[in-house]
Amino acid sequence: NAGVMQNPRHLVRRRGQEARLRCSPMKGHSHVYWYRQLPEEGLKFMVYLQKENIIDESGMPKERFSAEFPKEGPSILRIQQVVRGDSAAYFCASSPGTVGQETQYFGPGTRLLVL
Amino acid sequence: QQQVKQSPQSLIVQKGGISIINCAYENTAFDYFPWYQQFPGKGPALLIAIRPDVSEKKEGRFTISFNKSAKQFSLHIMDSQPGDSATYFCAASMLSGGGNKLTFGTGTQLKVEL
C-alpha cells in the first residue's frame, strides 16, 4: 500500500508565475488536508477537502490560493502569481475519514522556492 | 484560542537518557492530541496519539502524559537513541465537529548524543 504521494518534490518559480502542487492520498482515503511549513516553524493548516468538496478552507489565503480534490485524480493546490513569501514546504495528509481512523498520514512534501 | 505552545525549542540528551517535550493548549474543545516526528527533508510521521479520556499512553519507548485540568500534555522518550534525533511536533484537533484539522506546536529539535 503506497503512502501519500506528492509531486513535484521541489518546485522553483519566478514571482508572478503559477505553482501547481499535486497530492495523491493513500488508497482508500477520501479526506485530504494541506499544510504549509515555513522555515524553522511548525505546520499551519490550510484546507481540508473530501472528494469534490471543500470542507474547511479557513487557513488558506483568500487570494491567489485555491484547492480541489476531483472525483478522479489527485488533489491540487494552486498558487497563482506567486510571491517570495510563498516559499515554503507544502505538505498534504490523508485519512480514511471513518470513526476511529483519525490518523493523518503525511506525504514527503513539495518545497516551493520563489525567486 | 487555537494555539498550541511547545517547549523546549531544542533539546540535547545523552544516549540512554529520557527526552521530555511539553505542550500546552488553550481550546478545551480539542479532543485528539497526536505527536509527530519529522526528519530533515521528510514529511511528519505519527508517533503516538492520545484522547483526553486517558491520562497516559505508552507505546514502546514513547509515552504521552496528559493533564486535562492543566491543559497540558507531554512526550517522554525513554532510553533515547541517536536515531531519535529529529524534530518533534505536538498537535491538537477537534474530532467531534472540527474536521480533525491539526493545530501544531512550533516543534522541538532533539539531538541525542553518544
Side-chain angles (χ1 to χ4, degrees):
Chain A
N1 187 9
V4 177
M5 294 192 290
Q6 290 186 251
N7 66 80
R9 295 292 307 278
H10 300 272
L11 183 61
V12 180
R13 285 286 179 267
R14 296 192 181 278
R15 283 179 295 169
Q17 291 184 320
E18 177 180 290
R20 193 169 291 219
L21 288 61
R22 296 174 189 79
C23 169
S24 296
M26 288 178 70
K27 186 177 181 182
H29 288 192
S30 60
H31 293 216
V32 166
Y33 303 79
W34 285 93
Y35 296 85
R36 177 164 63 176
Q37 185 175 34
L38 294 170
E40 307 300 323
E41 292 188 14
L43 291 86
K44 304 286 187 192
F45 167 79
M46 298 182 74
V47 62
Y48 163 39
L49 310 102
Q50 296 178 19
K51 282 286 187 181
E52 299 185 275
N53 289 302
I54 296 175
I55 307 301
D56 183 348
E57 56 183 348
S58 60
M60 196 159 66
K62 295 285 187 289
E63 298 180 356
R64 302 189 298 107
F65 286 73
S66 62
E68 62 178 11
F69 188 15
K71 186 177 180 181
E72 301 291 338
S75 176
I76 306 286
L77 179 68
R78 184 181 177 208
I79 311 172
Q80 295 179 289
Q81 298 175 317
V82 296
V83 300
R84 288 212 174 110
D86 296 333
S87 295
Y90 292 82
F91 292 95
C92 81
S94 73
S95 74
T98 53
V99 175
Q101 300 287 330
E102 58 269 356
T103 300
Q104 291 184 29
Y105 297 87
F106 281 78
T110 293
R111 280 145 186 86
L112 172 65
L113 175 63
V114 180
L115 300 177
Chain B
Q1 189 73 3
Q2 296 291 327
Q3 273 190 321
V4 176
K5 296 181 179 179
Q6 184 172 345
S7 63
Q9 188 175 4
S10 62
L11 181 61
I12 299 175
V13 172
Q14 297 298 308
K15 180 183 175 185
I18 302 173
S19 304
I20 302 174
I21 305 170
N22 301 298
C23 284
Y25 63 97
E26 299 173 357
N27 189 346
T28 54
F30 286 145
D31 57 6
Y32 175 64
F33 302 89
W35 283 88
Y36 280 85
Q37 179 189 56
Q38 185 179 31
F39 292 103
K42 306 292 186 183
L46 179 71
L47 262 181
I48 185 172
I50 198 168
R51 301 291 301 271
D53 52 345
V54 297
S55 60
E56 186 174 283
K57 183 175 181 180
K58 183 177 180 180
E59 290 183 2
R61 296 185 294 111
F62 301 95
T63 300
I64 298 180
S65 297
F66 186 83
N67 186 330
K68 188 174 181 178
S69 61
K71 294 186 286 185
Q72 295 176 346
F73 58 111
S74 60
L75 175 70
H76 294 230
I77 306 174
M78 312 300 286
D79 187 26
S80 299
Q81 299 297 313
D84 297 330
S85 297
T87 300
Y88 293 80
F89 293 97
C90 62
S93 72
M94 290 182 281
L95 290 179
S96 303
N100 196 22
K101 63 182 181 184
L102 293 169
T103 300
F104 282 87
T106 50
T108 296
Q109 290 192 3
L110 171 65
K111 183 176 181 181
V112 181
E113 294 184 335
L114 292 169

